C-alpha cells in the first residue's frame, strides 16, 4: 500500500505532466489535471493519517533507483547548462559547472556506493508538507485551467502553449513531494534542482523580454543555492560519512567543522526561500501567469527553502549558527514588510509579504525551541492557504478590471462583490485572531521574547504588515453604497477553487488545536496543554475556540444589524457643504463653480518605506548578517 | 467560572468607567482652560442623544464595521479582566482597530479617507511599542499570562520604569490626544473635520464612542499592571498618568504624522533598549 501511495504522490504528477504535454486536447488536459489533483490530494491526506515511516524503493528492472536519480540529476544539470549557453549568461554557466564537476567527483571517488541509504523518510513535518503541496497545489492547478484559457485569449496566441505550461505546473507538485519525502541527501538535491528548473521555465512562460530576464535571474540565484547545496552536501558527507539526512542531523553534538556544511545547506534554503538579499528573483516571478505566482509563493518552491532550514534545525540547535539564522529571518521579516507598505501593485505586496512571512518561519527555526518550531509549522500550513487564496484573488481581479494596482481596486465591491469579499476574507486570515497565521505569529513573538534584537524586529514587522493589509481590505469597500449590488459571474472552476481555499483558510483554524496534538506534538514535544480549544502553557494562552465562536457570533450579529439598516437614510459624503446635489455623484463644487470629482488614494509613505530607498541598504545589511551567520559557523 | 464572572464584570463595568473618565477628562480639561465644563455625566447624555438620532449611512459596510469594532473592543477588555494572555488581548484589540479603519475607508469622503490612513499610521506607531512593553514584562515575570503576572511579588514599575514611559506614548496615541490626535482630531473644527469618524453619525457614532470607552479602560488596565501589588498604588499610578496625559494634551500642539513616526519610534525604541539592557545586566 505504502509504495503505491508514494508512487501516486511523486511519480503520478510526472506521468500526468507528460500526458498534458503530448495529448494536446484541452478537454483531455483538463481531465488529466483534475484527476491527478484529486488523486494526489487524497493520497496526501491518507499518508497524513498513516504517520511516519522509512522506505527504500530497491530496484526497478535490475537498476537501482539511486543510480536512476543520479543519472536524471546529471541530465538535468546539462539541460540547465544548455539554457545557460542559450541565454548567454555567464553566471549560470559558472554556477552550473560548479555543481557538475564537484558532484561528478563526489559520485565517482568519494561516495561508498555499497552503503544502503534509505531513500525515503517521512515524519509529521514531511507529511504536513506533502498535504500542503498536494491539496493547495492541486487547487491552484484547477484554477489555472480556466485562467490560462482566458490568459491566452488576452494574448491572442495562435498556437497554445498550455501543454508546456501544465507539464511544468503538474511536474512541480511531484518534485516538491519528492523533495520533502527524501531522506537520501542526493535525492533531496535532485528534487531541489527540479524545482529550480520548473520555476525557471514557468516564470519565463510568456517569453517576452521581461519574462525571460526575470526567469534568467531566478535561474542564476537558485543555481547559486544549488552550488551551496552541493558543497554543503559533500562537506557533510566528509564529516559524517553518510548520505542519510537523519544521520547527518543526529550525528552527535554539533560543533566546529560540522556547522559549516549546515550553514551552506541553510544558505541554499535561503536562496530558495528568497530571503534578502536574494528576494529579487521571487519579485521577478510576478511576471508569470498568476497560478505560477500562487504556486511558487504558497505551497511549493519557497516552502522548499524553509523546509530545509527547518529540517536541519535539530542539528544546529544551541549554536551560533542558530542565532544567526534567527537574526537573518527576523531581519527579512521586518525589511520586506516595510518595503511592502510603499507598494501599490497588488502582486508585489503579496510577494513582499510572502518573503516577510518566510523570514518569520526561518526566524522560528533559528530560535530553535519547541515553542518556535511549533510556530514555524503552524505558519507554513496557514500561510500556504491564505497566500494561495490571495494570489488567485488578485488573478481574478486582474482579469476582471484589467489591473492589479491597489488604486484601481477602490470600490471593487461594486463591480466584483464576490471576489472582493473573498479577498477581504483572505486578508483578514493573514492578520487577525483566531486565524492560524496569527496563532503562528503569536507563538513566534512569545518564543522570541528573550531575544532583544529579534523581538524588536518582530514587533516592528508585525505592526508594519498590519498597515498594508488593513488598507487593502478597506479600499475594496470604498463606494457610496446603498442598493443591492448585482451578482458577479465566475466560471465554475474559479468559483470552486476560491471558495474552497477561503473555506480552508477560515475553517482550518478551528482545527489548529487538533493539528497541534495529532501532528506537531508527537514530533516536536509537548509545549501546550490543550483544553476546549485553548492553547495553554505557563507562559501564555491562546483561546482558539472561544474567540472563534464569539467572533463568528459577532460577525453574524453585525451582519443582521447591517441588514436592518437597509431602511436608514442615505447620506452623501461630507464635503464642507459643497456637494454636487445629484444622487450617486461624488463631486464637490470647486473653483469657478465647476464640479470636481472626488479622488482619494492611499498613503504609501515612500519617504520612509520606498523600495528604491530601502532595497540597497536592506541587501547590504542582509549580506552582512549572512556573512556573520556563516563566519560564526566556521 | 471565576474567569467568566470576571469577564462579564469587565464587559459591564468598563464602559461605565470609561464614560466617567471621559466626563472627568472634559471637566478637568475645562478647569485647566479656566472654564467650568459640562457635568461629569455629559458623555452618557451625548451617547444617549446619538442613539436617539435618525440612522443615516452612505455605505452599509459602515454599520458592519462599527459593530465589529465595538464587539472586538469589548472582547479585548473581557479577556484582559479574565486574566488571559497579554499578546492575545492585544491582537483581539487589533481586530477593532482594523475594522474602524475599514469603516473609515468604506466611504469615498476625502476626510474619512485621510483620517483612516492616518489612523493606520497611529496603529503603526503604537503597536511595536506595546509589543515591546509586553516582551519586557515577560522578561521580568517569565510569563505573558496576566494571572501569572499578578502573582509576581514586586511592582513592575521598579524594574521597568522606562517601559512605563514608552507605554505612556502608546496611551497618548491610543486616546487620540495632542500631540498625536491627527486621525480624529478630538477637538472638532480642525483641519480634517473628524477624520476617520467623519462619516459615522447617529447610533453608529454612539457605538464607536462606547468602543472608545472600552479602549480607554483597556489601555489603563495595562498601565495598572505596573503596580499590581497594591490597590492604592494602582489608583495613584492611574490618576497621575491620566493627569499627565491631560497636561500634555492641553500644552501641546498637534504634530504631523511624519514627526510622530520618527519621534515615537526612535525615542520609544531607545528607551526600550536602555531598559532591556538594564534587565540583562541585572
Amino acid at each position: 500500500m505504502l509504495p503505491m501511495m508514494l508512487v501516486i504522490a511523486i511519480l503520478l504528477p510526472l506521468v500526468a505532466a507528460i500526458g498534458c504535454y503530448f495529448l494536446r486536447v484541452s478537454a483531455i488536459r483538463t481531465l488529466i489535471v483534475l484527476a491527478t489533483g484529486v488523486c494526489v490530494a487524497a493520497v496526501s491526506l491518507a499518508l497524513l493519517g498513516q504517520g511516519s515511516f522509512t522506505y527504500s524503493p530497491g530496484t526497478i528492472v535490475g537498476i537501482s533507483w539511486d543510480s536512476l536519480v543520479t543519472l536524471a540529476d546529471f541530465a538535468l544539470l546539462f539541460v540547465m547548462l544548455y539554457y545557460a549557453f542559450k541565454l548567454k549568461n555567464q553566471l549560470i554557466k559558472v554556477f552550473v559547472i560548479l555543481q557538475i564537476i564537484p558532484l561528478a567527483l563526489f559520485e565517482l571517488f568519494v561516495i561508498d556506493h555499497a552503503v544502503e541509504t534509505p531513500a525515503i523518510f517521512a515524519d509529521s513535518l514531511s507529511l504536513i508538507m506533502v498535504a500542503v503541496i498536494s491539496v493547495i497545489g492541486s487547487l491552484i492547478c484547477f484554477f489555472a485551467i480556466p485562467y490560462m484559457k482566458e490568459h491566452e485569449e488576452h494574448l491572442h496566441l495562435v498556437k497554445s502553449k498550455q501543454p508546456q505550461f501544465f507539464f511544468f505546473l503538474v511536474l512541480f507538485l511531484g518534485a516538491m513531494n519528492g523533495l520533502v519525502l527524501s531522506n537520501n541527501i542526493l535525492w533531496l538535491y535532485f528534487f531541489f534542482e527540479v524545482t529550480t528548473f520548473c520555476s525557471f521555465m514557468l516564470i519565463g512562460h510568456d517569453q517576452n523580454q521581461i519574462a525571460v530576464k526575470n526567469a534568467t535571474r531566478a535561474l542564476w540565484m537558485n543555481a547559486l543555492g544549488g552550488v551551496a547545496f552541493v558543497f554543503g552536501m559533500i562537506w557533510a558527507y566528509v564529516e559524517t560519512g553518510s548520505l542519510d539526512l537523519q544521520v547527518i542531523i543526529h550525528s552527535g553534538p554539533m560543533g566546529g567543522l560540522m556547522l559549516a556544511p549546515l550553514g551552506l545547506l541553510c544558505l541554499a534554503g535561503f536562496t530558495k526561500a528568497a530571503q534578502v538579499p536574494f528576494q529579487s528573483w521571487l519579485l521577478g516571478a510576478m511576471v508569470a501567469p498568476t497560478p505560477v505566482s500562487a504556486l511558487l509563493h504558497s505551497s511549493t518552491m519557497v516552502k522548499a527553502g524553509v523546509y530545509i532550514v527547518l529540517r536541519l534545525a535539530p542539528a544546529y540547535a544551541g549554536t551560533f549558527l542558530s542565532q544567526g539564522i534567527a537574526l537573518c529571518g527576523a531581519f527579512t521579516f521586518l525589511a520586506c514588510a516595510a518595503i511592502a507598505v510603499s507598494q501599490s501593485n497588488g502582486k508585489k505586496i503579496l510577494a513582499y509579504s510572502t518573503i516577510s512571512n518566510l523570514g518569520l518561519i526561518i526566524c522560528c527555526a533559528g530560535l530553535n525551541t519547541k515553542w518556535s518550531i511549533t510556530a514555524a509549522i503552524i505558519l507554513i500550513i496557514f500561510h500556504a492557504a491564505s497566500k494561495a487564496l490571495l494570489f488567485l484573488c488578485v488573478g481574478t481581479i486582474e482579469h476582471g478590471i484589467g489591473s492589479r494596482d491597489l488604486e484601481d481596486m477602490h470600490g471593487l465591491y461594486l463591480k466584483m462583490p464576490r471576489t472582493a469579499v473573498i479577498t477581504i476574507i483572505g486578508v483578514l486570515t493573514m492578520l487577525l485572531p483566531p486565524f492560524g497565521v496569527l496563532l503562528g505569529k503569536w507563538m513566534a513573538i512569545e518564543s522570541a521574547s528573550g531575544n532583544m534584537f529579534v523581538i524588536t524586529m518582530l514587533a516592528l514587522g508585525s505592526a508594519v504588515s498590519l498597515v498594508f493589509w488593513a488598507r487593502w481590505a478597506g479600499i475594496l469597500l470604498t463606494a457610496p453604497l446603498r442598493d443591492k449590488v448585482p451578482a458577479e459571474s465566475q466560471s465554475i472552476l474559479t468559483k470552486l477553487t476560491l471558495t474552497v481555499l477561503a473555506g480552508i483558510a477560515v475553517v482550518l483554524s478551528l482545527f489548529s488545536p487538533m493539528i497541534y496534538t495529532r501532528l506537531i506534538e508527537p514530533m516536536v514535544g509537548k509545549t501546550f496543554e490543550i483544553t476546549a480549544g485553548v492553547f495553554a502553557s505557563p507562559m501564555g494562552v491562546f483561546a482558539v475556540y472561544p474567540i472563534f465562536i464569539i467572533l463568528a457570533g459577532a460577525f453574524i450579529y453585525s451582519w443582521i444589524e447591517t441588514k436592518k439598516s437597509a431602511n436608514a437614510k442615505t447620506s452623501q459624503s461630507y464635503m464642507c457643504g459643497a456637494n454636487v446635489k445629484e444622487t450617486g455623484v461624488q463631486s464637490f463644487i470647486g473653483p469657478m463653480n465647476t464640479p470636481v470629482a472626488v479622488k482619494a488614494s492611499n498613503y504609501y509613505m515612500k519617504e520612509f518605506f520606498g523600495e528604491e530607498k530601502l532595497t540597497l541598504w536592506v541587501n547590504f545589511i542582509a549580506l552582512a548578517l549572512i556573512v556573520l551567520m556563516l563566519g560564526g559557523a566556521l | 467560572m471565576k474567569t467568566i464572572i470576571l469577564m462579564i464584570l469587565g464587559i459591564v463595568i468598563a464602559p461605565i468607567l470609561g464614560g466617567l473618565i471621559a466626563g472627568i477628562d472634559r471637566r478637568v480639561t475645562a478647569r485647566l482652560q479656566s472654564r467650568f465644563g459640562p457635568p461629569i455625566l455629559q458623555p452618557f447624555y451625548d451617547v444617549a442623544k446619538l442613539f436617539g438620532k435618525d440612522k443615516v449611512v452612505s455605505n452599509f459596510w459602515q454599520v458592519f464595521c462599527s459593530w465589529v469594532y465595538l464587539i472586538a473592543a469589548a472582547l479585548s477588555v473581557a479577556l484582559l479582566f479574565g486574566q488571559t494572555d497579554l499578546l492575545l488581548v492585544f491582537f483581539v484589540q487589533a481586530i477593532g482597530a482594523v475594522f474602524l479603519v475599514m469603516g473609515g475607508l468604506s466611504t469615498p469622503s476625502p476626510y474619512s479617507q485621510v483620517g483612516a490612513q492616518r489612523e493606520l499610521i497611529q496603529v503603526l506607531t503604537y503597536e511595536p511599542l506595546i509589543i515591546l512593553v509586553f516582551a519586557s514584562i515577560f522578561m521580568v515575570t517569565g510569563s505573558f499570562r496576566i494571572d501569572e503576572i499578578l502573582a509576581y511579588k514586586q511592582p513592575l514599575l521598579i524594574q521597568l520604569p522606562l517601559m512605563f514611559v514608552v507605554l505612556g506614548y502608546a496611551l497618548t496615541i491610543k486616546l487620540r490626544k495632542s500631540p498625536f490626535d491627527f486621525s480624529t482630531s478630538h477637538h472638532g473644527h480642525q483641519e480634517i473635520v473628524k477624520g476617520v469618524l467623519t462619516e459615522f453619525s447617529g447610533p453608529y457614532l454612539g457605538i464607536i464612542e462606547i468602543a472608545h470607552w472600552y479602549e480607554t479602560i483597556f489601555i489603563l488596565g495595562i498601565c495598572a499592571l505596573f503596580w499590581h501589588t497594591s490597590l492604592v498604588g494602582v489608583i495613584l499610578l492611574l490618576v497621575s498618568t491620566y493627569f499627565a496625559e491631560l497636561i500634555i494634551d492641553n500644552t501641546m500642539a498637534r504634530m504631523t504624522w511624519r514627526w510622530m513616526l520618527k519621534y515615537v519610534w526612535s525615542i520609544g525604541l531607545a528607551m526600550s533598549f536602555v531598559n532591556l539592557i538594564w534587565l540583562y545586566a541585572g
Side-chain angles (χ1 to χ4, degrees), chain A residues 24 26 29 148 152 157-164 205:
Chain A
R24 303 195 161 215
S26 97
R29 188 168 55 236
M148 286 314 287
E152 299 211 324
L157 286 192
V158 186
K159 183 165 175 279
S160 168
K161 286 173 64 189
Q162 288 189 52
Q164 192 203 345
H205 177 77

Side-chain angles (χ1 to χ4, degrees), chain A residues 450 478 539 574 576 602 607, chain B residues 105 111 117 144 199 258 280:
Chain A
T478 310
M539 286 180 273
Y574 176 77
C576 292
N602 290 321
E607 72 254 54
Chain B
L105 284 173
Y111 301 100
Q117 303 279 347
F144 283 96
E199 293 295 319
R258 288 177 185 81
Y280 272 111

Side-chain angles (χ1 to χ4, degrees), chain A residues 235-248:
Chain A
W235 198 335
Y237 184 81
V238 173
E239 291 289 324
T240 63
S242 179
L243 291 171
D244 189 327
L245 202 56
Q246 288 303 313
V247 173
I248 295 173

